[in-house]
Amino acid sequence: MLKAITPARLGATLLNNRCQTSRTLASIGLTADFADDTPATSSQHCAHSLLILGKPGGGKGTISGKILQDFPQFRHVSTGDQLRQHVRNETPLGKEAKKFMDEGCLVPDNVMIQMVMGDAVEAIKNGQSLLLDGFPRTMEQAVALDKSLDVDMVINLCIPNETIIERISDRVGNVERSNFLLKSNARLLVCDRWIHPASGRVYNYSYKPPKVKGLDDETGEPLVQREDDKPESVLKRLQKYDMATKPLVDYYKGKGVIKTFSGTESDVIYPEVNKWLSSRLEDDVAATI
């Protein structure tokens, strides 16, 4: 249960021109006494909560990995990984979450926030900043999280849907180029990856076609296309993401903490991410001098 933060406790943690570490500690309910045990110095890292937003298949994992490599003060908090671990270990939170998952429902925000905060407290006690990945996903979740944690930097990766679909095509079909044809007006997509369900054999008409169209080479049984592999399904998921995330992006724009990076290649986008993040962290150093 998160403790309510009183003005007196918050004021105490902000004494002596402390870094944002103290502000973040207060925001997650740690007492001023704890903060006073770790006096700030001019070399102390300011703790941040950095959120990275990006569509599935949009390079978020690649960019996150580069950030963690170049900025080791950040600790990766992946709510997806946390959720699976809690369920696997049958923790109280995991059991609560599994009830909803078994019913095909979304895990409630308050359960997800407890998971995030469990990792956040340990990280901030160790003087680390947080790299949040996977939560919040909606404005409502962001507002709820704000009551417990101050997200003060947000990276928004803006990758065209067509680029992501091509990546998924390459990844799934193990080919070097996209196997999708996009009709720009109707936005209908055609994928040529087909499987034989019983054996798992995969065929692709652009580089590994079956001997007889639509039939498995060995059994002669019909080939099928998995629902999740169909580009129409991929496109729908991406469109749903866009709809859910736009209010979240606008919310962080209103707070003045978000930076959007657009492009099609992670290796091109990341240097700009690095530059922006370095600038933000340099501002912290200047403020403590």
Side-chain angles (χ1 to χ4, degrees), residues 136-169:
R137 293 177 182 269
T138 67
M139 188 184 71
E140 291 77 15
Q141 291 174 348
V143 172
L145 183 62
D146 273 352
K147 297 175 183 177
S148 303
L149 186 68
D150 182 22
V151 176
D152 62 329
M153 294 190 293
V154 181
I155 291 171
N156 180 37
L157 302 177
C158 185
I159 314 298
N161 287 346
E162 291 80 2
T163 298
I164 295 174
I165 292 170
E166 288 178 0
R167 289 179 183 174
I168 294 174
S169 168

Side-chain angles (χ1 to χ4, degrees), residues 44-73:
Q44 181 183 20
H45 287 298
C46 292
H48 290 279
S49 295
L50 168 64
L51 170 65
I52 183 166
L53 299 174
K55 303 171 186 176
K60 183 159 60 75
T62 300
I63 297 294
S64 294
K66 291 178 180 291
I67 290 174
L68 294 171
Q69 181 177 356
D70 291 346
F71 302 93
Q73 64 266 45

Side-chain angles (χ1 to χ4, degrees), residues 3 5 9 13 25-32 34-35 121 124-125:
K3 299 178 181 178
I5 182 66
R9 186 191 300 165
T13 61
L25 287 170
S27 74
I28 62 176
L30 294 180
T31 64
F34 174 85
V121 171
I124 296 171
K125 279 183 179 179

Side-chain angles (χ1 to χ4, degrees), residues 14-19 40 287-288:
L14 294 175
L15 289 176
N16 300 324
N17 193 30
R18 289 183 183 273
C19 260
T288 59

Side-chain angles (χ1 to χ4, degrees), residues 236-253:
K236 285 180 180 178
R237 290 200 299 271
L238 293 174
Q239 289 171 337
K240 286 182 179 179
Y241 175 90
D242 289 337
M243 292 176 61
T245 307
K246 186 181 185 305
L248 180 63
V249 171
D250 291 341
Y251 175 73
Y252 285 121
K253 278 183 181 178

